[in-house]
């Protein structure tokens, strides 16, 4: 079945980097894009960016530009999100979600189970 | 502050109908971009509920329906059930931001 499985929880010090993985199965990886969305404790959903597994084209929200890198590995059907210069406000659950590669912007489905990243000294 | 505005909470008795609004602007919903809705049960990842303004994915009960008009959209839940207690988010695309945007989220409580 179509599934996205993310890597496990992480605890990082302020200033460090974190890399979250999202392994896809049940569909042709390069037919889709992958978005990243985070949710701080008790807060709503926040769009971070997305990457096309077909072309490598990517878009990131202005708030994260310069601090985030999104990549894909077509040999392992895995998407990655790296966030650098972590601060306490980056403590959140990070989700990956599949995007269809259409001419028009579309929707996120399905979602991974989420990865809790805790930033604490 | 979210680009798309939703009421923080709505509530209703079992069997009642509730609606959740999602208000945007001329750079997102008003520009013609589609609206999609997600349900997030406590402790779980979001799940697609409505796509393309009005369409339900396979497996989503027809108690859930979506609509869009002008710069706003709405999600209606009819025949409210206890299992519908969750957070609901709308999502669209914003041309000024050149990226996807989410609503502020609405908590549905079944009385």
């Amino acid at each position: 079945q179509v599934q996205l499985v993310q890597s496990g929880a992480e605890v990082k010090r302020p200033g460090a980097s974190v890399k979250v993985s999202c392994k896809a199965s049940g569909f042709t990886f390069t037919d889709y894009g992958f978005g990243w969305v985070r949710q701080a404790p008790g807060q709503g959903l926040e769009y971070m960016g997305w990457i096309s597994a077909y072309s490598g084209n990517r878009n990131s929200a202005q708030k994260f530009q310069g601090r985030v890198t999104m990549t894909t590995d077509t040999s392992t059907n895995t998407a990655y999100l790296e966030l650098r210069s972590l601060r306490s406000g980056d403590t959140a659950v990070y989700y990956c979600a599949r995007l269809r590669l259409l001419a028009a912007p579309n929707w996120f489905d399905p979602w991974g189970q989420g990865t809790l990243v805790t930033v604490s000294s | 502050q979210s680009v798309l505005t939703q009421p923080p909470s709505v509530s209703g008795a079992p069997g009642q109908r509730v609606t959740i609004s999602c208000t945007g602007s001329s750079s997102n919903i008003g520009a013609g971009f589609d609206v999609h809705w997600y349900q997030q049960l406590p402790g779980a990842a979001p799940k697609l509920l409505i796509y393309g303004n009005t369409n339900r994915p396979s497996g989503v009960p027809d108690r859930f329906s979506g609509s869009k008009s002008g710069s706003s959209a709405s999600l209606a839940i009819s025949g409210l059930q206890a299992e519908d207690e969750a957070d609901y988010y709308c999502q669209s695309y914003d041309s000024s931001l050149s990226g996807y945007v989410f609503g502020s989220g609405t908590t549905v409580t079944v009385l």
Side-chain angles (χ1 to χ4, degrees), chain A residues 22-79:
Chain A
C22 171
K23 185 169 177 59
S25 61
F27 60 94
T28 302
F29 186 72
T30 50
D31 283 351
Y32 293 88
F34 295 88
W36 291 92
V37 177
R38 76 178 185 180
Q39 186 171 37
Q43 302 300 309
L45 302 175
E46 181 177 29
Y47 168 74
M48 298 183 69
W50 78 278
I51 181 170
S52 166
Y54 173 75
S55 65
N57 288 345
R58 67 207 72 188
N59 165 272
S60 59
Q62 187 171 13
K63 175 178 180 177
F64 300 102
Q65 287 176 7
R67 223 167 44 101
V68 69
T69 299
M70 294 170 290
T71 56
T72 59
D73 183 341
T74 57
S75 68
T76 60
N77 290 350
T78 304

Side-chain angles (χ1 to χ4, degrees), chain B:
Chain B
Q1 295 85 339
S2 301
V3 172
L4 305 179
T5 302
Q6 300 178 231
S9 63
V10 299
S11 62
Q16 283 191 327
R17 181 177 187 268
V18 298
T19 61
I20 301 169
S21 60
C22 174
T23 303
S25 67
S26 58
S27 61
N28 42 68
I29 300 175
F33 294 109
D34 285 344
V35 177
H36 321 291
W37 292 89
Y38 302 88
Q39 178 192 59
Q40 186 176 31
L41 295 170
K47 169 193 159 187
L48 181 67
L49 200 63
I50 298 286
Y51 68 93
N53 306 314
T54 60
N55 304 291
R56 284 186 311 275
S58 173
V60 172
D62 59 8
R63 303 185 291 105
F64 295 93
S65 62
S67 64
K68 175 190 166 186
S69 177
S71 296
S72 297
S74 292
L75 173 72
I77 310 173
S78 59
L80 197 62
Q81 299 182 5
E83 66 206 49
D84 298 332
E85 279 207 340
D87 292 328
Y88 293 82
Y89 294 90
C90 59
Q91 175 245 312
S92 187
Y93 183 87
D94 191 284
S95 57
S96 295
L97 299 173
S98 297
Y100 292 97
V101 289
F102 286 95
S104 43
T106 299
T107 298
V108 169
T109 301
V110 181
L111 301 172

